[in-house]
Amino acid sequence: MSIFGLKLKTDIPSASVIKVLKQFHNTVSIASLRSKIQNKEFIYTCSSIDDTRIVTLLKLLHKIETLGIGVEICEQWENGAIKKVDRFLLENLLESYDEIENQIEKIIDLEVEGLDP
């Protein structure tokens, strides 16, 4: 399993970026957020199977990009390997999760219908 993370293409923690990050990380201190930016660490991460947090990651990506700040989406594997990925990968992943959920619902519906006398 892997994680997806966002990294800023800058190491300068502007007030506008910190303000946006605080909206998504209300429990993380401003000092910690500044440090993550300055050290080029992930500013947000989520599991590759957590569709709710993937949606949040995409929202955060959009908000930061509207500030005119470059952002990279990276995928980090359990062995530590990191590669850049495109937002379309995440969007397609979410579509796949939705399709799977719909298929499971249909299967369950068919099974339940078969139980009716």
Side-chain angles (χ1 to χ4, degrees):
M1 185 167 49
S2 63
I3 63 165
F4 294 114
L6 293 180
K7 287 186 179 188
L8 298 183
K9 292 183 179 180
T10 180
D11 60 356
I12 301 169
S14 69
S16 57
V17 171
I18 297 291
K19 184 176 178 180
V20 168
L21 291 175
K22 280 298 281 180
Q23 293 172 359
F24 291 84
H25 287 300
N26 57 1
T27 59
V28 179
S29 71
I30 291 174
S32 177
L33 293 172
R34 291 178 64 94
S35 176
K36 286 178 183 280
I37 295 168
Q38 290 170 331
N39 296 323
K40 296 233 179 219
E41 297 173 9
F42 288 131
I43 56 168
Y44 187 86
T45 60
C46 64
S47 167
S48 59
I49 59 172
D50 187 342
D51 58 343
T52 304
R53 287 187 50 99
I54 292 173
V55 169
T56 301
L57 182 144
L58 290 169
K59 287 179 183 177
L60 177 57
L61 172 70
H62 176 71
K63 284 201 169 218
I64 292 173
E65 286 179 334
T66 60
L67 297 174
I69 296 170
V71 186
E72 295 176 338
I73 306 170
C74 299
E75 183 174 18
Q76 183 173 8
W77 295 91
E78 290 176 356
N79 66 2
I82 297 176
K83 71 174 186 172
K84 293 179 189 174
V85 296
D86 192 273
R87 81 175 67 229
F88 299 112
L89 171 81
L90 299 181
E91 291 167 354
N92 288 337
L93 188 61
L94 290 174
E95 285 179 27
S96 296
Y97 291 160
D98 285 342
E99 289 174 12
I100 292 168
E101 184 177 335
N102 289 334
Q103 289 174 352
I104 290 171
E105 285 179 22
K106 286 178 184 177
I107 290 169
I108 291 171
D109 288 345
L110 288 172
E111 288 177 358
V112 170
E113 287 174 14
L115 295 177
D116 289 337

